[in-house]
């Protein structure tokens, strides 16, 4: 019993210590309580290992010249833009129609849209058919694990957030942008404004947010790049973890494409939570006094169950 409690306490100590380490990393931070319940907290122990063995500096923006293999994307940005804008004109760059995109579900409310090109193991069939040149370019670079066209309309923004997985870095290539300082991303509070044909590399596990204060829609090539690590063993581990997560979060552009288990579960949870939310609201309107009483009672029950699990 003593060992069981000590083991559980140790796991909790490592977990909370890792979350706190991630929270204190950088200058821009989420509120403490939000950080501890944020989805990025789940990967905090793993991410701490990624930072420890990282082959690139621990800072918000990284020198893109350290990744010369990405030159082929920048050198061919006009060809990539032609395919992206054709998809945009034809309505293929869009939100997930079935709420089955766990990674970016909250972005769609802000008008953000995407079209996937590649997701970890292979290109999407729809991308191979609709934008073959971009798929060819992206697929020629082994450390590009995920790629998409990402759109943000004028007058929109994305709230501060921290991506959950430190096994990758984020690459943006401007395709059709406002070419204005009023359309920009902040990574750990440091500003970068997109320009057509220009690219940037950053660590998306720092808190970052986006503002497009123009009337022009921003379209970029958005890629996940494998994080270089100093340890061959950690590199192998990261590739296996990335491959597993890639399969579990497989997205779709069209209904006939496979959806990963995490995205399927996310879609189910959205439908379930919408039903529960509707019923809770109905109960609250019909029984406001009982609702006020039951809320703290439910909190006590949760605390009791957690205590019971520990002891």
């Amino acid at each position: 019993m003593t060992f069981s409690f000590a083991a559980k306490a140790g796991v909790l100590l490592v977990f909370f210590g890792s979350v706190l380490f991630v929270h204190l990393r950088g200058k821009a931070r989420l509120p403490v309580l939000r950080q501890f319940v944020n989805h990025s907290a789940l990967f905090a122990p793993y991410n701490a290992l990624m930072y420890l063995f990282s082959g690139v500096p621990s800072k918000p923006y990284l020198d893109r010249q350290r990744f010369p293999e990405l030159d082929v994307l920048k050198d061919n940005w006009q060809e990539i833009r032609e395919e992206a804008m054709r998809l945009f004109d034809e309505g293929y760059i869009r939100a997930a129609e079935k709420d089955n995109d766990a990674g970016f579900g909250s972005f769609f409310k802000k008008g953000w849209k995407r079209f996937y090109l590649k997701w970890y193991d292979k290109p999407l069939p729809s991308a191979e058919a609709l934008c073959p040149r971009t798929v060819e370019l992206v697929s020629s670079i082994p450390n590009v694990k995920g790629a998409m066209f990402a759109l943000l309309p004028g007058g929109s923004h994305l709230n501060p957030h921290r991506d959950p997985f430190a096994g990758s870095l984020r690459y943006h290539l401007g395709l059709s942008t406002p070419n204005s300082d009023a359309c920009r991303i902040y990574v750990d509070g440091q500003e970068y404004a997109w320009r057509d044909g220009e690219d940037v590399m950053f660590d998306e596990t720092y808190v970052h947010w986006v503002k497009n204060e123009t009337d022009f829609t921003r379209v970029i090539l958005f890629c996940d790049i494998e994080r270089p690590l100093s340890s061959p063993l950690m590199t192998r581990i990261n590739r296996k973890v990335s491959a597993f997560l890639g399969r579990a979060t497989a997205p779709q552009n069209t209904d006939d494409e496979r959806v990963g288990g995490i995205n399927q579960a996310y879609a189910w949870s959205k439908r379930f939570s919408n039903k529960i939310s509707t019923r809770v609201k109905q109960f609250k309107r019909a029984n406001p006094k009982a609702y006020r009483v039951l809320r703290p009672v439910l909190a006590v029950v949760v605390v009791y169950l957690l205590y019971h699990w520990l002891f």
Side-chain angles (χ1 to χ4, degrees):
M1 179 64 70
T2 302
F3 175 79
S4 177
F5 172 75
K8 293 175 181 177
V11 169
L12 286 177
L13 184 63
V14 170
F15 173 74
F16 286 115
S18 299
V19 175
L20 187 61
F21 169 69
V22 170
H23 174 69
L24 295 175
R25 182 174 177 260
K27 298 178 181 178
R29 294 165 188 162
L30 301 176
V32 175
L33 290 179
R34 179 185 166 191
Q35 179 61 69
F36 273 88
V37 299
N38 187 264
H39 65 293
S40 65
L42 295 174
F43 285 92
Y46 183 83
N47 288 349
L49 286 174
M50 293 295 99
Y51 303 141
L52 178 63
F53 290 98
S54 181
V56 295
S58 181
K59 59 182 184 178
Y61 290 99
L62 300 164
D63 182 3
R64 218 287 283 157
Q65 301 307 313
R66 294 177 68 111
F67 301 82
E69 66 274 16
L70 299 177
D71 288 349
V72 68
L73 299 178
K74 185 174 182 179
D75 292 345
N76 291 278
W77 75 271
Q78 290 173 311
E79 286 186 83
I80 296 172
R81 180 174 67 176
E82 287 178 9
E83 291 193 328
M85 298 316 293
R86 184 168 63 250
L87 291 179
F88 173 58
D89 291 339
E90 295 174 358
Y92 283 103
I93 305 179
R94 56 197 178 202
E97 297 179 343
K98 297 183 178 180
D99 284 328
N100 57 2
D101 195 335
F104 303 99
S106 62
F107 289 4
F108 299 130
K109 299 175 184 178
K110 305 295 184 181
W112 187 89
K113 298 178 175 64
R114 83 292 182 268
F115 181 88
Y116 286 97
L117 302 164
K118 175 186 178 183
W119 197 248
Y120 285 79
D121 55 348
K122 58 185 177 182
L124 277 71
S126 57
E128 291 179 305
L130 295 168
C131 43
R133 178 57 175 160
T134 303
V135 168
E136 178 189 1
L137 291 168
V138 166
S139 299
S140 71
I141 309 171
N143 62 341
V144 175
K145 300 303 182 182
M148 68 180 78
F149 294 131
L151 176 159
L152 186 69
S156 188
H157 69 280
L158 300 178
N159 292 327
H161 61 284
R162 186 195 301 278
D163 285 27
F165 184 61
S168 62
L169 301 167
R170 185 63 43 79
Y171 172 78
H172 285 180
L173 172 62
L175 300 177
S176 178
T177 76
N179 291 303
S180 166
D181 290 343
C183 181
R184 59 207 183 277
I185 184 171
Y186 295 86
V187 183
D188 199 32
Q190 299 179 32
E191 180 179 342
Y192 173 84
W194 293 280
R195 295 289 191 274
D196 293 359
E198 296 185 6
D199 56 5
V200 65
M201 179 81 74
F202 62 94
D203 185 337
E204 74 271 30
T205 59
Y206 283 97
V207 173
H208 55 285
W209 61 97
V210 174
K211 293 183 179 180
N212 185 358
E213 297 174 320
T214 74
D215 297 325
F216 194 92
T217 296
R218 183 223 65 181
V219 180
I220 61 172
L221 176 66
F222 173 121
C223 298
D224 280 351
I225 310 298
E226 180 181 308
R227 179 187 288 270
L229 299 172
S230 59
S231 163
L233 174 61
M234 291 305 301
T235 297
R236 290 196 296 273
I237 291 173
N238 188 43
R239 286 175 179 171
K240 288 185 178 296
V241 171
S242 297
F244 170 78
L245 292 175
R247 291 190 297 271
T249 58
Q252 64 176 192
N253 296 318
T254 57
D255 290 343
D256 58 336
E257 291 172 329
R258 185 181 76 85
V259 178
I262 289 178
N263 283 339
Q264 292 181 36
Y266 177 77
W268 178 87
S269 69
K270 289 284 287 184
R271 292 193 296 270
F272 180 76
S273 63
N274 288 339
K275 291 180 180 178
I276 294 297
S277 178
T278 298
R279 293 184 179 181
V280 168
K281 289 177 181 177
Q282 291 173 344
F283 179 81
K284 181 179 179 181
R285 286 194 297 266
N287 306 278
K289 292 183 179 179
Y291 176 80
R292 287 196 295 270
V293 171
L294 287 174
R295 282 188 66 186
V297 169
L298 181 61
V300 170
V301 169
V302 171
V303 171
Y304 170 79
L305 292 175
L306 180 61
Y307 177 86
H308 184 72
W309 177 78
L310 282 173
F311 294 93

